[in-house]
């Protein structure tokens, strides 16, 4: 077993040492930020070496992971730690590391400051029999096939896409694969529709028309319920299906593929909280929508800032509460969100605007929505492409074969994406489809 009393340095996000703690404390959920080093080992054929984590490891046992990964000891520099870990885990001393990135990784158990390096190495590798359960080189196709299958560690998957996504995923749409057809999933606000003009840019209309002509499928993936999807008239004839309400309601034509509701107890908790604290709330039922707007903020933001229509067709709250509730959209600041979410454990939150968040049942997010759509229609998830700009797009950016962030996207989403295109107002969709040679 790992030595739980081993001392790690505690650092700030710049890497400055500000204290120390044991391994056990760092992995207890305390979220004490501690440094680790990673080395991605490629060979001259473009294959990547992965180690298999032993079953006795306290984190991600039995999964395939980055070639070398280890903690920086207290009093040790990241550079020295990298050399030590590579020597101990792979028996390699004659390598030249190339620094790639530094970022903060957070899971339920820990928070790490990760120093990412890569090297090209064709010599002999002797994986430690004490630290590892073997290792081997993987082709890019093998990596691609294993993504999302619970074979690779989540940390490796996210880091690989973050650091090497552009060179890796560009090969998925090269000139030798022009006959492969993709399922394209688009967020609406800030992705297809400009926040400035509230319209779909002409370049985007052209790009989607060309994509359809070339045999690709076009889907919507939005937080909006169907009632307020009123701004897609110029491309409506191109759309093959809809992932709406952040994945809670998915349909093709009149056929409902998925409808996932929030437990009634959690619905009433949020409704009562909104009424007690006097904040705005949109309650999205299976068929209708109700709006509580005591301060006028729902109208000001939805109608004034986002140009949402049809809210005048909202039904009384007691009518909507008789239906299955698929989404709750409360209007409160982010610092209150955590407090409320602790009271509704069966739900998840996806914020894409500073004034409000979208709450759905756990498992109802855009990522699950596009995987559900792909399974129902017999589409290969490997050949799905998702475009987004907000926090509620994170799940589909990760789930899709290729995740694309708009140039106007949140910085956190850009870090998760495989590729960042230009903004919605600067031909972002057109430029991305051309970049991947899909049109």
């Amino acid at each position: 077993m790992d030595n739980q009393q081993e001392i790690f340095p505690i650092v700030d996000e710049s890497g400055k040492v500000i204290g120390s703690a044991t391994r056990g404390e760092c992995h207890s959920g305390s979220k004490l930020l501690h440094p680790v080093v990673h080395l991605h080992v490629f060979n001259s054929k473009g294959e990547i070496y992965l180690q298999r984590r032993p079953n006795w490891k306290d984190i991600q046992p039995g999964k395939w992971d980055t070639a070398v990964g280890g903690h920086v000891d207290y009093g040790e520099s990241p550079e020295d730690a990298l050399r030590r870990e590579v020597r101990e885990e792979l028996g390699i001393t004659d390598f030249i590391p190339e620094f790639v990135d530094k970022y903060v990784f957070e899971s339920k158990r820990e928070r790490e400051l990760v120093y990412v390096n890569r090297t090209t190495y064709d010599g002999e590798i002797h994986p430690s029999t004490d630290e590892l359960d073997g290792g081997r080189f993987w082709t890019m196709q093998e990596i691609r096939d294993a993504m999302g299958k619970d074979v690779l560690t989540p940390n490796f998957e996210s880091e690989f896409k973050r650091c090497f996504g552009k060179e890796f995923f560009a090969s998925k749409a090269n000139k030798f694969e022009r006959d492969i057809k993709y399922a394209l999933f688009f967020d609406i606000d800030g992705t297809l529709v400009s926040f400035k003009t509230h319209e779909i840019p002409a370049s985007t209309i052209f790009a989607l028309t060309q994509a359809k002509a070339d045999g690709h499928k076009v889907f919507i993936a939005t937080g909006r319920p169907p009632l307020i999807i009123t701004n897609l008239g110029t491309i409506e004839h191109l759309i093959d299906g809809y992932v709406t309400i952040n994945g809670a309601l998915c349909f093709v034509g009149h056929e409902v593929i998925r409808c996932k509701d929030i437990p009634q107890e959690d619905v009433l908790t949020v409704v009562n909280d909104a009424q007690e604290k006097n904040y705005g709330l949109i309650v999205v039922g299976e068929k209708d929508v109700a709006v509580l707007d005591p301060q006028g903020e729902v109208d000001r933001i939805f109608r004034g800032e986002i140009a949402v229509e049809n809210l005048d067709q909202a039904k009384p709250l007691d009518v909507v509460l008789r239906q299955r509730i698929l989404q709750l959209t409360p209007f409160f600041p982010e610092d209150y969100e955590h407090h409320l979410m602790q009271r509704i454990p069966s739900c998840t939150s996806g914020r894409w605007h500073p004034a409000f968040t979208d709450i759905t049942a756990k498992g109802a997010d855009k990522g699950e929505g596009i995987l559900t759509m792909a399974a129902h229609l017999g589409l290969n998830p490997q050949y799905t492409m998702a475009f987004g700009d907000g926090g509620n797009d994170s799940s589909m950016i990760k789930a899709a074969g290729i995740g694309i962030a708009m140039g106007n996207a949140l910085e956190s989403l850009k870090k998760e994406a495989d590729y960042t295109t230009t903004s919605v107002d600067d031909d972002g969709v057109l430029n991305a489809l051309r970049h991947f040679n899909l049109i």
Side-chain angles (χ1 to χ4, degrees):
M1 295 182 61
D2 288 318
N3 179 7
Q4 299 301 310
Q5 299 306 312
E6 185 178 1
I7 303 298
F8 293 159
I10 304 304
V11 298
D12 60 22
E13 293 192 6
S14 72
K16 179 182 178 181
V17 177
I18 57 175
S20 63
T22 66
R23 175 192 288 268
E25 290 171 325
C26 290
H27 291 177
S28 67
S30 65
K31 301 300 178 70
L32 293 171
L33 184 63
H34 54 288
V36 299
V37 289
H38 289 173
L39 180 69
H40 294 270
V41 178
F42 294 85
N43 61 23
S44 57
K45 294 187 292 184
E47 299 169 333
I48 186 170
Y49 189 91
L50 300 185
Q51 59 157 279
R52 188 176 185 276
R53 296 179 64 81
N55 289 325
W56 54 262
K57 282 287 186 180
D58 57 342
I59 295 178
Q60 299 295 331
K63 293 186 181 179
W64 291 88
D65 200 5
T66 308
V68 175
H71 292 86
V72 177
D73 289 338
Y74 189 74
E76 185 179 39
S77 71
E79 294 78 11
D80 289 342
L82 182 68
R83 293 281 180 185
R84 173 180 55 77
E85 289 288 346
V86 175
R87 182 180 67 252
E88 292 176 356
E89 295 190 6
L90 300 184
I92 299 174
T93 57
D94 55 336
F95 72 101
I96 301 175
E98 174 188 348
F99 178 75
V100 176
D101 195 10
K102 180 175 71 173
Y103 69 96
V104 174
F105 171 80
E106 185 170 339
S107 68
K108 292 181 179 179
R109 296 190 58 180
E110 63 177 333
R111 190 163 176 258
E112 298 176 333
L113 181 63
V114 186
Y115 292 83
V116 185
N117 299 268
R118 68 177 294 172
T119 192
T120 300
Y121 187 80
D122 289 315
E124 292 188 6
I125 296 178
H126 302 283
S128 167
T129 56
D130 295 328
E131 292 290 325
L132 312 178
D133 190 10
R136 67 176 178 87
F137 278 100
W138 292 54
T139 66
M140 291 300 101
Q141 185 61 51
E142 287 179 307
I143 295 292
R144 189 178 302 163
D145 292 342
M147 286 276 187
K149 303 289 179 59
D150 209 32
V151 174
L152 312 172
T153 66
N155 195 356
F156 170 78
E157 288 192 5
S158 62
E159 183 172 290
F160 186 83
K161 293 173 76 174
R162 172 194 178 97
C163 296
F164 309 113
K166 184 174 180 179
E167 61 188 84
F168 171 61
F169 288 100
S171 67
K172 293 175 67 174
N174 63 27
K175 63 182 180 180
F176 301 109
E177 296 185 331
R178 281 299 296 271
D179 59 329
I180 293 176
K181 305 308 175 187
Y182 277 75
L184 311 174
F185 290 82
F186 297 93
D187 169 57
I188 295 178
D189 300 290
T191 299
L192 287 179
V193 176
S194 167
F195 281 121
K196 296 178 181 178
T197 67
H198 304 303
E199 296 179 352
I200 302 175
S203 66
T204 299
I205 298 172
F206 168 80
L208 297 191
T209 301
Q210 187 63 58
K212 284 287 289 188
D214 288 349
H216 306 293
K217 293 185 178 296
V218 175
F219 297 90
I220 298 302
T222 180
R224 293 188 181 218
L227 175 68
I228 61 173
I229 301 177
T230 59
N231 50 0
L232 302 179
T234 54
I235 64 166
E236 196 168 7
H237 61 290
L238 303 173
I239 299 171
D240 293 288
Y242 292 81
V243 173
T244 69
I245 316 180
N246 288 307
L249 180 64
C250 306
F251 56 91
V252 175
H254 296 293
E255 180 185 9
V256 175
I257 297 171
R258 187 181 203 225
C259 184
K260 188 172 180 63
D261 59 320
I262 299 172
Q264 186 179 26
E265 179 182 355
D266 289 347
V267 171
L268 295 179
T269 295
V270 178
V271 170
N272 291 337
D273 192 71
Q275 292 173 329
E276 290 172 5
K277 295 183 171 56
N278 211 36
Y279 58 76
L281 176 68
I282 300 175
V283 181
V284 180
E286 188 176 0
K287 297 179 180 178
D288 300 302
V289 172
V291 178
L292 305 180
D293 195 14
Q295 306 293 334
E297 55 196 338
V298 177
D299 180 70
R300 177 178 60 81
I301 294 171
F302 263 46
R303 183 178 56 81
E305 293 184 15
I306 312 176
V308 169
E309 301 176 1
N310 286 357
L311 282 184
D312 58 337
Q313 298 181 25
K315 298 293 178 66
L317 177 62
D318 62 328
V319 172
V320 177
L321 287 179
R322 297 184 198 128
Q323 304 171 18
R324 291 195 292 172
I325 303 304
L326 308 187
Q327 182 168 278
L328 300 161
T329 300
F331 284 66
F332 50 49
E334 191 171 0
D335 56 3
Y336 185 69
E337 181 179 332
H338 177 70
H339 171 75
L340 181 64
M341 294 308 297
Q342 288 182 318
R343 298 168 57 194
I344 48 176
S346 299
C347 297
T348 186
S349 176
R351 180 176 289 267
W352 59 274
H353 190 284
F356 61 84
T357 188
D358 290 332
I359 296 174
T360 53
K362 280 187 176 178
D365 57 44
K366 292 186 181 184
E368 287 297 321
I370 68 173
L371 293 177
T372 297
M373 186 73 76
H376 179 79
L377 298 177
L379 306 173
N380 186 342
Q382 177 180 328
Y383 298 112
T384 58
M385 184 178 289
F387 294 70
D389 70 296
N392 63 341
D393 297 319
S394 173
S395 62
M396 73 170 181
I397 290 294
K398 295 176 181 177
I402 303 176
I404 297 176
M406 305 300 289
N408 50 282
L410 297 175
E411 289 302 315
S412 58
L413 192 73
K414 292 178 181 178
K415 292 178 181 179
E416 294 173 337
D418 304 311
Y419 178 73
T420 298
T421 185
T422 50
S423 75
V424 60
D425 296 296
D426 192 23
D427 306 331
V429 170
L430 175 65
N431 289 335
L433 293 179
R434 281 178 171 170
H435 172 82
F436 286 99
N437 208 25
L438 266 63
I439 60 174

